[in-house]
Amino acid sequence: MTSIPSGDPVALLRQLVRIDSRNPSLVNGAEGEGPVAHALAATLRDWGFAVSLAEAAPGRPNVVARIGRPGGRTLLFNGHLDVVGVEGMRHAPFDAEERDGQLFGRGSADMKGGVAAMCAAAARAARQGLGGEIIVTAVVDEEYESLGTRALVASGVRADAAIVTEPTRLAVNPAHRGFVWAELDFRGRAAHGSRYDIGIDAIRHAGLVLAAFDQLQREVLDRRTHPLLGHASLHAATIAGGTGWSTYPERCTLRVERRTLPGETTEQVMREFEEVRQRVAAYDATLDVTLRHVLTQGPSDVPAGAPIVRALEEAMRAEGESVLHEGMSAWTDAAILNDAGIPAICYGPGDISLAHADEEWVPLDEVERATRVLTRLAHDWLRGEVA
């Protein structure tokens, strides 16, 4: 493989995008992150990093690279190497085609552009001399269960602060929503469609609960807000039930997703759902439903005055960038890092609206600009020039 000049984010981005790293938990038969992790590890070793590969799952290694002086202040750069499927894409997914100042490919925005920028920034900052250590972590499986960052935290990796280089269009994203998945299993009574006297319609009961969820959204969740993230939300994800036109449906399964704001908990959400169940049961005594929690990914929120936020703002201004704060619309591994006591915010090149899309690209000038800002941030943070 062709050697990449040290600190060149665009050349590194081309290399990363050209390697298929579709998440095998999402795409049957996909090879996974192994090839791209090994390629990145080799490049970072060439650039002077101390690099290790640690499997978060069989054949799916995290890249953990360190540069600088251990024992001093630390800064973590985190990004994921896995990408989603490519069905329906309108351009070649792994050619890394460049046109009009943009690089096209699956994962270019989400988030190999950010990974390239953070790696190049660490290399550039090291050439200037560091008063501490930069830890670069390129992880697996963020698109499914975040096995990579969870394994990273479990292994004991810690830092004074972290930047997760998800695509933010170079805005500071100190907060994002979490989510709770829940499943409701409705049981009715099968009967001929003419036998209203004995049939119990499980789908109708699901409809009653959906109407109550709509009321919860309008009367409660719409009024529960965060300054960067808007209001809490709830939507039906899937619904399935019934066997035929002339049969009362015996079963119906409804899956819902509740997007949570910082401060909201799984227990609170499930209590709200239980209150909805009780309200519908009071209206229709034939309701028979089992409510089950499936998965929670917590929200993330770092205060605007936190040292890492102020340090990033100062680095942006020093590099001639406008400072804009936004809330991240998607969930990210920043939440896991924050839960582990590492203040983590999102900042990177590209637009999250292009993630998973049929056309995905990242502006090359944003990759370079992000690299410059992160270089300055690392230099100043590790020299203790930002408290």
Side-chain angles (χ1 to χ4, degrees), residues 63-103:
V63 179
V64 181
R66 298 172 181 267
I67 199 163
R69 180 173 62 82
R73 211 174 192 193
T74 54
L75 180 64
L76 174 67
F77 287 154
N78 174 272
H80 65 85
L81 294 173
D82 60 319
V83 302
V84 297
V86 299
E87 292 75 19
M89 292 195 75
R90 294 189 287 154
H91 54 77
F94 304 116
D95 283 2
E97 176 189 357
E98 295 175 44
R99 62 177 187 269
D100 301 324
Q102 299 159 347
L103 187 143

Side-chain angles (χ1 to χ4, degrees), residues 244-304:
W245 286 99
S246 294
T247 304
Y248 273 78
E250 184 178 28
R251 298 293 291 269
C252 181
T253 299
L254 171 65
R255 291 173 176 168
V256 295
E257 180 180 73
R258 169 76 153 77
R259 288 280 165 164
T260 55
L261 298 178
E264 294 187 304
T265 66
T266 303
E267 293 73 22
Q268 177 183 351
V269 170
M270 297 305 293
R271 187 166 59 249
E272 291 171 348
F273 288 176
E274 173 59 21
E275 289 170 356
V276 164
R277 188 199 68 78
Q278 292 177 11
R279 189 160 65 249
V280 175
Y283 171 77
D284 187 337
T286 65
L287 178 73
D288 184 357
V289 58
T290 299
L291 172 63
R292 183 172 73 91
H293 171 255
V294 176
L295 176 68
T296 292
Q297 298 279 37
S300 184
D301 197 14
V302 174

